[in-house]
Every structure is written in C-alpha cells, then in structure tokens.
Amino acid sequence: MSDTTLSPSAVQSKAAEPSLHRVMGPWLLLLFIVGDILGTGIYALTGQVAKQVGGVVWLPFLVAFVVAMITAFSYLELVTKYPRAAGAALYAHKAFGVHFITFIVAFAVMCSGITSASTASRAFAANMSSAFGLNLAGGIGITLLGLAFMAIVAAVNLRGVGESVKANVVLTCVELTGLLIVIFVGLWAIAAGQGDVSRITQFKPAGDGGLFWPVIAATTLAFFAMVGFEDSVNMAEETKDPTRIFPKILLAGLVITGAIYVLVSISAITLVSPEQLGEGETPLLKVVAAGAPNFPIWIFGFITMFAVANSALINMLMASRLVYGMSREHVLPPALGKVHATRRTPYVAIAFTTLLAFALITFVGEVPALGGTTALLLLCVFTVVNIAVLMLRKDRVEHEHFRTPTLLPVLGAAFCAFFAGPWTGRDPVQYKIAGVLVGIGIVLWLVTIMVNRAAGVRPSEPTMEDIGGHGPVN
C-alpha cells in the first residue's frame, strides 16, 4: 500500500472502465438485505440469550437492532459518498491513512467471517443430529460432523462458486420460511391457549438482583444476529438511483429483520421455558416440536441446515478471497495469493482459512463462544467505521450523498465500543479467540514486511476488489 498517486494515464484508464450494471430495484435490494441479515444468529443463539435474561429474550435482540441501526446510518453516508469504495478497511484507510490500521480492520473482518462460518457449521451439525435422530454422542460427535461439513464447504469453495442475486433470493425465501413457521406456530399456540405468554415479561436477574447487566451481556450475543447489513453496502453500485433508494431500503430491511427476530423470540419463550430453550444448540427445533408436535420436525431441521449452510459457504468464500486480496496487495505472504491452475480459485488462501475454521470448531466448539467472537470483532470494526464518518466530513465530494446527523456516528462509536468491552460480562474466552486470530495476522504482517524489504517490494494502495469488499453475512 504505497503512498504514490496514480499517473494521469492510469486515472484515464480507470475512468474508462465500465461500471457495474444497475439492475437492482427496491424490492430485489430489500430481499438481498434481509437475506444477508437473516441466518445463523437467530437460529442458533436464541436459547443462549434466553439463558442469560430469561423470558425477556426479545429485549437483547431489540437493543442489538438499535445499535445496528445507528451504525447503518454511518455506512449509508460512506457508501453513498464513496460508492466504489465499499468496505470497512477502505473507509479506515481513507480516514486515517495508516496502513497497519487498514490491515488490522481487513484482517478482523476476515476473521469474523471465519468465526461466523464456524458457528454455522456447529449449528448445522447440531440441527442435523436432532432433526434426523442421529443422537451423536456429546460434543465429540457434533464436532466431527461440523468438521466434515466444513471440509465439504472447502471443497465447494475450491471448485468455485458463481454467486448471483437470484440465488440469494431463493436462499432468503428458505431462511425466511423457517422463521415464519416459528412465528406462525407461536401465534397459533397462543390463540389456542397453549404456552405461557406471561414469560415475555419475566427477567432473570443477576446475582445482585440487577437487570441491566444481564441484558447487556445477552446483547453482546444477540448482536451476532444483526450481522450482514454492513455487507449489503457492496450492492449500492448495482442499485438503480442508489442515493435516493438505498438508504430507505437498507433501513427498511433492518426494521423487517428486527421485527422478525422479536416475534420469533416471543414465540419461542411462550412455548418453551428459558431453561429448556437454553439447553443444547437447536432452540428453534424445540419451539416447533412444542407448538406443533405433528409437524414433521425433519422439514424444519432441513430448513435450518440449509440456512446456516448457506451462511457458512458465503462467509468462507469471503474470508478466502479477502486473504487472497491482501496477499495481492503485499500485506500478507505471497504464497497465500496462489491460484489453482485449472479451477482458478485461491487454493492456498482456502486452505489457510479452512485450517483456522477447523481449529475453532475443534478447540472452541461451542456456538456462544464462536458467535460472540464474531460480534466482538465486528463491534470493534464498527467503532472504527463510526469514527471514520466523522474524520471524513472534511473530505468533500462533487456528487450528492446521504448525510447522517452528527450525533448518530458519535453514539454509534460509543455504543459499539461499550458493547465490545469486558465490563459487559462477555465471556473472556471470546477475547482470547479474537486475540489469537488477530495475533496470527500481525505475525503474518511482520513476516511479509521483512520479505518485502528483502525483495525490494512495496505494498500497493488497497482497492475495493482486494480488501474493501464483502464482510460476513448471517
């Protein structure tokens, strides 16, 4: 990432490049955004949130929604201001101009993709075991199935996957169907006088009787369910009239998913007690079984597996391509940028990210630790993004763009930093996991710097395609 500027000919060449085809109208964009946010978080962590707060399981999801909404305003200003420079790493680079900060943000985003995919693989294994009656012995059986699933994801990734918005629409409909089943089962049971609606107002207080800190601790987990809205900013360049349409649709998508999460939480806690909901790793399967005992549980299990499998694949695709891109920018070892001769896929980067996922599934294993680490990494990234908005206010652009009220990025930075801190009651293991992952990145960075100096190579300026692209999805 050198400090040299582009030559006039390079600028002309860049200007002559064709722009992306603006094919996305409001409805297609809305489906894409909702699909990015829905997924593993609500399917896997509802029970763990209930374990911390009791019947008000819906409240941490609501708080997480508010924090995500505030941060979304910052992303909206940046993506409409720099429509070709989507991505937290590039926003940080524009705001601070410090190559190491840019690298750390990019590597943290990559790590959040791997922890998210590892969470999904664990959820996939647990749901498969429960839905199809495999009765895998303890954590070892689930771990082995999760590793096998991740190996399949790596094989698909190596073969090469063509993504499209139309495929995303289908996958979104599958994920949405599963959650609507839970909501419908819950409402049907409530109408029939089943379950216990009074649970939705029952707190599980902390040891000192307080209610504030249990909700805060649960929110650090629930925030994982909001992952994905930051990734959708990459579609702004393919949206018709993005400055006018994109802000309204992104905010609408967040409101829709927030409402779905609250309704799912209410249905779940009405039909299943917080204690039962917090046991195991298949909370929504329990809800469907309790509210509709005649419903074929394997169908819902299949929907859940499909939803989380899609999240795992997309996140591992993102992580491997991000490693490949950073290698091309000479901020990671050049070996990680090697491409398979026939498949044309970054096979070394795929192997590297898959090995990290294997380690997380094997040595960490549990969904709360993996999902919580994903939220921790992204909350740190979002803190930087909110600060970047304020730093870049002095940078004027010629076109019109969305401008968020100054108070919102200030609140966004404060809230995200607060929820990332140890005072929230966050499990210390999450800091250890995040520290080890980022530490690996720093070691690789230092090795690369030494290799670059020996070879006389200077890092190049980051580009959208290499380190500013996609973040993790849910």
Side-chain angles (χ1 to χ4, degrees), residues 215-417:
V215 172
I216 295 301
T219 302
T220 64
L221 272 181
F223 193 81
F224 175 53
M226 299 307 301
V227 169
F229 75 89
E230 79 291 343
D231 180 64
S232 61
V233 299
N234 292 287
M235 301 308 297
E237 199 179 346
E238 295 172 74
T239 301
K240 300 172 184 176
D241 195 6
T243 303
R244 183 178 65 86
I245 291 177
F246 198 88
K248 292 186 290 186
I249 298 301
L250 176 58
L251 299 178
L254 277 166
V255 169
I256 289 171
T257 52
I260 289 172
Y261 286 171
V262 168
L263 289 173
V264 167
S265 302
I266 291 173
S267 294
I269 206 65
T270 298
L271 293 173
V272 183
S273 69
E275 295 76 21
Q276 291 177 307
L277 204 61
E279 293 176 359
E281 299 174 86
T282 57
L284 298 190
L285 276 179
K286 295 179 182 178
V287 176
V288 175
N294 295 324
F295 186 89
I297 200 66
W298 67 267
I299 294 179
F300 187 81
F302 184 79
I303 290 173
T304 303
M305 289 161 55
F306 196 80
V308 300
N310 177 51
S311 298
L313 178 58
I314 293 176
N315 281 319
M316 291 305 288
L317 278 165
M318 177 277 293
S320 59
R321 270 55 177 183
L322 200 49
V323 168
Y324 164 74
M326 286 189 281
S327 175
R328 286 184 58 189
E329 299 292 343
H330 304 291
V331 293
L332 281 180
L336 292 171
K338 290 186 178 180
V339 176
H340 194 276
T342 55
R343 292 295 177 193
R344 310 300 297 170
T345 49
Y347 68 98
V348 179
I350 291 171
F352 173 73
T353 52
T354 302
L355 285 174
L356 286 180
F358 279 173
L360 290 171
I361 295 168
T362 302
F363 299 109
V364 179
E366 295 183 358
V367 164
L370 293 169
T373 303
T374 304
L376 171 62
L377 289 165
L378 288 179
L379 283 166
C380 293
V381 170
F382 293 164
T383 302
V384 173
V385 170
N386 280 299
I387 295 172
V389 172
L390 301 173
M391 296 284 290
L392 289 168
R393 282 283 166 87
K394 60 189 177 185
D395 185 22
R396 305 292 181 183
V397 294
E398 295 181 359
H399 63 275
E400 291 185 7
H401 63 84
F402 181 88
R403 183 181 172 94
T404 184
T406 302
L407 178 62
L408 290 183
V410 172
L411 289 176
F415 286 152
C416 289

Side-chain angles (χ1 to χ4, degrees), residues 173-185:
C173 291
V174 172
E175 294 169 349
L176 185 57
T177 298
L179 298 178
L180 291 179
I181 288 173
V182 174
I183 294 171
F184 178 78
V185 165

Side-chain angles (χ1 to χ4, degrees), residues 103 107 331-333 336 352 439-449:
F103 168 77
F107 201 83
V331 293
L332 281 180
L336 292 171
F352 173 73
I440 291 172
I442 293 173
V443 170
L444 290 174
W445 160 276
L446 294 173
V447 170
T448 307
I449 292 297

Side-chain angles (χ1 to χ4, degrees), residues 69 259 406 458:
M69 178 70 85
T406 302
R458 294 190 66 190

